[in-house]
Amino acid sequence: MPKCRVITVSDRCAAGVRADVSGPVLAEALAAAGYEVDVVIAPDGSDSVRAALLEALDAAARLIVTTGGTGVGPRDRTPEGTRTVIDRELPGIAELLRSRGAEKALHAALTRGIAGVVDAVDGSGGALVVNLPGSPQAALEGVEVVLPLVAHVLDQLTGGDH
């Protein structure tokens, strides 16, 4: 069972001012798909996102899904933190997420989330990292788009055949 970490990126959730809703929604969907899932909360900002992603990699997560921090607010810096960790961006996943999301809500076009891979190094299997919106419904719809691609990406990271 592959390890997955969900990182909720929110100043308010990190401060305990608001309950995390998106993280548990994603964890439930990922567990139902066969992943061993844990959820952590990180404050907004690129440095805190970077630290949370590196911690997830140290914990051997092969799929890392963030929720939140992808908009245009002053502290929305999840993509910036993610770019400092991934080795290669997968723009097609982000394009697909925005396209599918915009079919239901035009505001999905405003999300700046990215997706990419961390290459396998020193026996690690590498990881797929995907930024999803903070809205529970948009996050759930996003993970449903991504799930059919995950096994193939993870296999490719370890040298699997096309």
Side-chain angles (χ1 to χ4, degrees):
M1 179 179 330
K3 285 187 177 181
C4 174
R5 174 147 311 161
V6 173
I7 302 169
T8 299
V9 181
S10 166
D11 284 336
R12 286 178 275 189
C13 290
V17 174
R18 180 173 51 180
D20 177 15
V21 178
S22 296
V25 165
L26 288 171
E28 184 178 327
L30 290 160
Y35 292 88
E36 177 186 328
V37 185
D38 67 338
V39 179
V40 300
I41 299 173
D44 286 297
S46 62
D47 291 342
S48 57
V49 168
R50 175 184 168 78
L53 291 170
L54 292 173
E55 183 181 298
L57 292 167
D58 285 345
R62 304 266 340 268
L63 173 61
I64 305 169
V65 179
T66 69
T67 176
T70 62
V72 296
R75 299 225 349 112
D76 289 338
R77 297 284 188 253
T78 298
E80 289 77 9
T82 301
R83 277 195 183 90
T84 68
V85 173
I86 61 173
D87 292 307
R88 293 175 286 159
E89 199 163 331
L90 298 173
I93 291 178
E95 291 164 9
L96 183 61
L97 288 167
R98 278 187 278 280
S99 172
R100 294 272 178 90
E103 290 172 4
K104 297 181 181 193
L106 189 57
H107 285 96
L110 300 177
T111 186
R112 300 177 314 103
I114 65 169
V117 294
V118 177
D119 293 333
V121 178
D122 298 329
S124 82
L128 171 62
V129 181
V130 180
N131 300 152
L132 295 175
S135 151
Q137 185 63 37
L140 181 59
E141 290 168 0
V143 84
E144 289 169 353
V145 169
V146 171
L147 276 173
L149 304 171
V150 176
H152 182 71
V153 171
L154 296 181
D155 182 56
Q156 290 290 291
L157 285 173
T158 58
D161 197 10
H162 295 278

